Each structure stands twice: as C-alpha cells, then as structure tokens.
Amino acid sequence: MLSRRLIRIKAFKTLFAYEGSGSDNVAAAEKSLLESCEKVKDLCYLMLNIADPLVRVAEEKIAAGMRKFHPTEEELHPNMKFVRNRFAQMLSDDPEFGRICQKRGLVWGEYEPFVKHVYNSLITKEYYLNYMASGEDSLEEDCRLFSCIFQDEFEDNPELLSILEDMSILWIDDLDYVLNTIIALVDDTPRRGRIVHPSTFLKEDDKEFALRLFSESAAHYDEYFELISQHLDNWKSDRIVATDATLIVMGLTEAVTFPTIPVKVTINEYVEISKYYSTPNSRIFVNGILDKLIQEKVASGEIVKLGRGLVD
C-alpha cells in the first residue's frame, strides 16, 4: 500500500524524532517506524469501513418515514438503490474485513453524528441524485458512487480531521494518500469482482527498504552531517535547519546504500519532501548540497550504481 515516497517520509519523521531525542535505541525506533507504516493501512480500513454505516443511516431514515402516521407517497415507496449498494454490501459481508476493523478499533460507532453529517451532505450532491435516478443497476455504477463519495466528502473535511487527530496523530498527513488509494481500489473492484484488502507494503522488499534506509541513516548521521558542514559557504553548521540536515543525510544514505535506485530519483524525492516538511528555501538548499555530496562519492567510488542511466 505504501509508496516509496511515503516510506521515505515515514523514515524521515522517525529519524528526525530519533536524532532529536538523543536516544541510541535503534530497535525501538525501527519498531516505531513499522508501526507508523502499519497505521496507514489502519486508516485505509477505517475509511473503507464508513460505507456500511452510511447505508445504515439511509435505512434508518427510510424506516422512520414509513413509521409516520401519514407518510408521503415517496416515504411509502422509497428508493432503495443506495441501501442495496453492492460495494457497501461486499464490505459488510466480508468476515475478514469486519474482524480486522473490530480487532483494531477501526469503527465509527462513537462518531455516529459525523456519519450522519456525511450522509446529509451526500444526498444533496448531483452525483448522488443522478445515481439514485439512474436506470442502471450494476456493480460498476455502485462503485462509481463510492469513488465519488471518497473523492468529494472527506478531503479537507475539518470534522474528519478533528476525529482522526483524536484517534491517531499520524493520520492527518496520511489522509490524502489513503483516499487516493481507496479510490483506486474502488475503481478496480468491478474488474476483480471482489474487494482486495490493503496490505502495508506494495512490494516484498519495501519493508526492508524502510528499515535499512532508517538504520543506515541513523548509523551515518554524524558522519554525513559533518560532510554537510564542510560544504557550507559563510554558514555555520548550527544554523542548518534540522529537517534539511535530516533529508540530506537520508538522501546521501540512500544513494550509497541502494545501488539500483537512480541518483536523479533519490535527489528528486528528497527535494520534493523538503517542500512539505521544511522551509520555503529548503528545496534549493537540499538539492544543491545533496547533489554535490553524491557527485563526490560517485567520483570516489563510494557510490556505485548498477545499470545504465542510474547515476546521471
């Protein structure tokens, strides 16, 4: 599930906290790194698990209308399309999905008012109204609706952000990535005919990449920080932004440690991360210093890349 960029971000945050704490317990930091990766998958399960509560809210509204002393014609003959949505039903009928959500507390029972707010917003949207009025009746259409819901209802939602902050401080930065992952999963469901459970890592070697990137960066932090200091013009090392130093150390570590990752990819990745987690001028600083240090280590033979086009 986690992209290499998100793995780099998780490792960066862990290394930044580790160096700032003065701790020398690498094993504990590695455990924290893996837990932060696992929490991304948990957030994915939590957000997927809102589908069934949304349907339950619709069912309750239909039942309440039919119980009225003088129900309207619409209340007597309600449109049941949403409550029969196949995508939501697939999640509800999946025992493994339900077991994981219950075991890890990834449920919405405590936040029923939020679920109702989402439903009340949803039913005013054009894509929902078109769905309910459509004569189409297919898994593809049911999935398209939930793809729109995940795209439209949760991004920049202050109530959701407040809930996630209470549940896990790690989730605020992960939400956009998780929503995009869910949308891709929903869109792919008709082709597969089933819902694929998210896994923490996309590839088998991604876990090793995360742990090795962190551990090697921690082991060489002081050495590489000294190299950074030697390349500062009229700038004292104690004035380096800590996030910049951490990103450069990690970029240099990645270039040295992983021979199959192109140098351009490494530099671009850490420059991009600096745009979101450091100062406005950090991308220029990180790009310049990291490029110099990598080129020096290429020239000295400390960085060896396997395959054409991996250095330039």
Side-chain angles (χ1 to χ4, degrees):
M1 177 177 175
L2 274 73
S3 67
R4 281 290 176 97
R5 177 170 295 177
L6 191 53
I7 290 172
R8 289 180 176 97
I9 291 171
K10 295 293 183 183
F12 157 69
K13 290 181 177 181
T14 303
L15 181 64
F16 183 79
Y18 175 79
E19 290 296 327
S21 70
S23 170
D24 60 357
N25 191 338
V26 174
E30 288 178 340
K31 181 181 178 182
S32 175
L33 170 59
L34 292 180
E35 287 175 349
S36 71
C37 292
E38 191 72 18
K39 291 295 286 185
V40 180
K41 183 178 71 173
D42 284 352
L43 179 57
C44 191
Y45 273 95
L46 176 70
M47 295 308 302
L48 279 169
N49 201 30
I50 202 170
D52 187 63
L54 284 173
V55 169
R56 299 286 81 80
V57 171
E59 286 184 331
E60 290 167 7
K61 285 186 175 291
I62 289 172
M66 296 181 75
R67 287 196 301 267
K68 286 183 178 179
F69 190 69
H70 291 296
T72 64
E73 186 66 22
E74 184 179 351
E75 289 168 336
L76 280 173
H77 303 94
N79 186 338
M80 303 293 287
K81 189 170 185 176
F82 181 62
V83 300
R84 293 172 179 164
N85 183 282
R86 293 170 180 84
F87 179 77
Q89 193 64 49
M90 289 171 78
L91 287 171
S92 179
D93 291 343
D94 188 329
E96 180 65 11
F97 179 84
R99 184 191 66 80
I100 291 171
C101 289
Q102 288 295 327
K103 181 180 179 181
R104 300 185 70 86
L106 307 173
V107 295
W108 293 94
E110 184 180 346
Y111 303 102
E112 184 178 352
F114 171 70
V115 177
K116 290 182 176 180
H117 291 166
V118 172
Y119 177 77
N120 289 333
S121 170
L122 163 66
I123 61 177
T124 68
K125 300 298 173 62
E126 184 176 358
Y127 64 83
Y128 176 85
L129 297 173
N130 289 339
Y131 167 80
M132 296 298 284
S134 168
E136 184 180 348
D137 183 25
S138 66
L139 174 61
E140 287 80 0
E141 188 187 34
D142 289 345
C143 287
R144 280 198 299 272
L145 174 69
F146 267 97
S147 183
C148 290
I149 291 172
F150 284 113
Q151 189 170 11
D152 188 65
E153 297 298 329
F154 302 119
E155 186 177 357
D156 298 324
N157 185 314
E159 189 176 3
L160 175 60
L161 292 175
S162 178
I163 290 170
L164 296 183
E165 190 173 20
D166 288 342
M167 297 177 78
S168 173
I169 192 66
L170 298 172
W171 282 345
I172 301 300
D173 288 344
D174 296 336
L175 180 60
D176 286 347
Y177 178 82
V178 165
L179 290 176
N180 287 329
T181 299
I182 288 175
I183 291 167
L185 182 153
V186 175
D187 290 344
D188 197 42
T189 296
R191 181 183 67 84
R192 292 180 177 271
R194 62 186 179 88
I195 295 173
V196 177
H197 290 196
S199 57
T200 304
F201 296 105
L202 290 173
K203 295 182 288 187
E204 290 183 4
D205 61 348
D206 281 349
K207 179 179 179 180
E208 179 186 354
F209 172 74
L211 290 172
R212 199 168 171 210
L213 177 61
F214 167 77
S215 62
E216 291 293 325
S217 296
H220 294 280
Y221 192 94
D222 292 341
E223 173 192 348
Y224 290 167
F225 186 85
E226 180 59 29
L227 290 178
I228 296 170
S229 301
Q230 293 170 9
H231 284 75
L232 300 178
D233 297 324
N234 302 317
W235 197 262
K236 294 183 179 179
S237 60
D238 61 358
R239 294 182 62 193
I240 303 174
V241 177
T243 49
D244 290 355
T246 304
L247 289 168
I248 294 169
V249 166
M250 286 184 62
L252 191 54
T253 300
E254 181 176 310
V256 171
T257 307
F258 299 96
T260 60
I261 299 178
V263 164
K264 276 187 178 180
V265 169
T266 294
I267 294 175
N268 288 342
E269 284 294 301
Y270 290 97
V271 169
E272 284 299 312
I273 294 171
S274 74
K275 294 178 183 179
Y276 297 96
Y277 294 97
S278 203
T279 69
N281 294 323
S282 289
R283 63 182 183 85
I284 299 172
F285 180 73
V286 170
N287 182 75
I289 300 296
L290 184 55
D291 183 59
K292 283 182 182 179
L293 293 175
I294 288 177
Q295 293 307 321
E296 286 180 5
K297 287 193 176 292
V298 169
S300 69
E302 293 177 75
I303 292 177
V304 178
K305 294 296 180 180
L306 305 177
R308 294 183 178 180
L310 295 181
V311 174
D312 298 330

